[in-house]
Amino acid sequence: HARNVPPGVNPEAYQWFQTVDTDRSGFINMKELKQALVNSNWSAFNDETCLMMINMFDKTRSGRIDLFGFSALWDFMQRWRALFQQYDRDRSGSISGAELHQALAQMGYNLSPQFSETLVQRFTFRGGRPGIQLDRFIQVCTQLQSMTQVFRERDRNMTGNVRLSYEDFLSGTISRLM
């Protein structure tokens, strides 16, 4: 079965693609992706994160990803999962504000512990104990990367401050997040 793996596609990703592509269309849509991705407590990934990942790896803007896009998504997921496990020090399956702060600092973000706490509160599962699961961790970090990119393009002198119009800010972030 694995001998049909095209060059440049991770063999494990290929196998997983075959399982996830339930309608055998040769593409993974949002519904199929959502069924395939789970947090450590076996809850499905939230819609926003799934949509964000489809948008990141959907080169044709068709709302679905092919095998090559899926293979890239698979590699992306492995990296985030490893990072998540590295910072989930108490192995609770979720990352606390303090753990998120350490993760972001190690990624090079100079943000306050309060900012990390605010993010965790914003993305904690309603009624659950404070902490973010893998799906929200990926969403938060990926969106931070996108917004940082927009900021850096404007902060040519690396001062940490930029002046930009509201519309300029929206244009920069929308082009990356949607």
Side-chain angles (χ1 to χ4, degrees), residues 103-153:
L104 294 177
Q106 213 152 350
M107 289 179 212
Y109 293 104
N110 182 15
L111 301 163
S112 70
Q114 290 80 3
F115 182 78
S116 299
E117 286 296 344
T118 303
L119 279 176
V120 167
Q121 282 162 5
R122 161 81 177 77
F123 289 111
T124 291
F125 185 71
R126 302 250 179 278
R129 48 183 270 247
I132 53 175
Q133 308 242 344
L134 177 62
D135 55 353
R136 293 295 187 191
F137 178 71
I138 293 172
Q139 186 185 356
V140 164
C141 294
T142 305
Q143 288 179 348
L144 270 176
Q145 284 177 337
S146 294
M147 290 185 270
T148 301
Q149 210 65 50
V150 172
F151 189 88
R152 282 209 180 115
E153 285 165 12

Side-chain angles (χ1 to χ4, degrees), residues 25-63:
S25 64
F27 293 93
I28 304 287
N29 62 26
M30 169 91 172
K31 187 167 150 272
E32 290 169 326
L33 186 64
K34 193 174 162 66
Q35 286 167 342
L37 298 176
V38 291
N39 289 303
S40 52
N41 66 353
W42 300 105
S43 64
F45 268 39
N46 70 76
D47 290 352
E48 289 164 313
T49 306
C50 291
L51 186 60
M52 182 189 83
M53 292 197 293
I54 293 247
N55 287 340
M56 284 172 71
F57 296 100
D58 167 23
K59 298 296 171 236
T60 60
R61 289 268 170 245
S62 61

